[in-house]
């Protein structure tokens, strides 16, 4: 629960308090990392189209029958670290495990990297994802129209223009070119 005294927000001091905490609507997102509350910016409104384009592809490929893409889910990577990937894939089985209170790790995570993100923090999160058994991570950098596709910390494909980004081996046919991610976004009627 957020405690506000004299317009001052009381932040949690432990992981347990953080997990019970109702986050304020202050325009900031929060994660728990190394026994500390970490503030970060989630996807910007101007980046929502990325989720929409990928979600449409996800549905068109029929993967919605096997699982779901979720925006900014709470993910306990370890018993001490709660992260919020911008976009994550969970299988149907994982969704039901989550319903039972079991912590589940997405096998595919996407981070939309903004100019305010620090390289050291982005890299730390990437390390955590692979230690937790995430299989594929995409780093999408809208300002440069580039996507880094990781299948391990050592195996990375840098994609731009017509290069194809793939979620293999997690989602075999989930592929899209960088150009298609960043093409003129139009709402179809």
């Amino acid at each position: 629960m957020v405690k506000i005294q004299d317009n001052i927000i009381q932040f949690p001091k432990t992981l347990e308090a953080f997990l019970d905490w109702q986050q304020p609507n202050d325009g900031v997102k929060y994660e728990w990392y190394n026994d500390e509350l970490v503030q970060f910016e989630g996807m910007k409104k101007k980046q929502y189209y990325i989720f929409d384009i990928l979600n449409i592809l996800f549905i068109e490929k029929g993967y919605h029958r096997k699982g779901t893409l979720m925006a900014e889910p709470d993910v306990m990577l370890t018993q001490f670290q709660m992260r919020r990937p911008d976009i994550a894939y969970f299988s149907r089985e994982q969704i039901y495990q989550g319903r039972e209170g079991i912590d589940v790790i997405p096998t595919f995570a996407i981070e939309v990297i903004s100019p305010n993100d620090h390289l050291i923090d982005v890299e730390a999160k990437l390390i955590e994802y692979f230690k937790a058994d995430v299989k594929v991570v995409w780093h999408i950098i809208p300002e440069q129209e580039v996507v880094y596709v990781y299948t391990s910390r050592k195996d990375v494909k840098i994609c731009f223009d017509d290069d194809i980004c793939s979620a293999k081996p997690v989602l075999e046919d989930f592929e899209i070119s960088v150009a298609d991610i960043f093409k003129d976004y139009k709402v179809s009627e």
Side-chain angles (χ1 to χ4, degrees), residues 31-48:
E31 295 178 334
W32 193 261
Y33 176 70
N34 282 344
D35 230 12
E36 291 184 6
L37 184 69
V38 178
Q39 295 181 359
F40 73 101
E41 296 180 9
M43 278 192 296
K44 304 273 190 252
K45 291 176 189 169
K46 290 185 175 185
Q47 298 169 342
Y48 290 174

Side-chain angles (χ1 to χ4, degrees), residues 1 20-21 31 34-35 78 85 104 110 117 121 134 145 169 172 175 178 189:
M1 167 92 51
D20 289 336
W21 185 49
E31 295 178 334
N34 282 344
D35 230 12
T78 70
V104 292
I110 300 169
D117 289 326
D121 297 330
V134 175
E145 296 190 2
E172 287 295 321
E175 298 179 333
V178 174
E189 299 185 24

Side-chain angles (χ1 to χ4, degrees), residues 10 59 121 150 182 188:
Q10 301 294 315
I59 292 166
D121 297 330
Y150 294 87
F182 297 110
S188 58

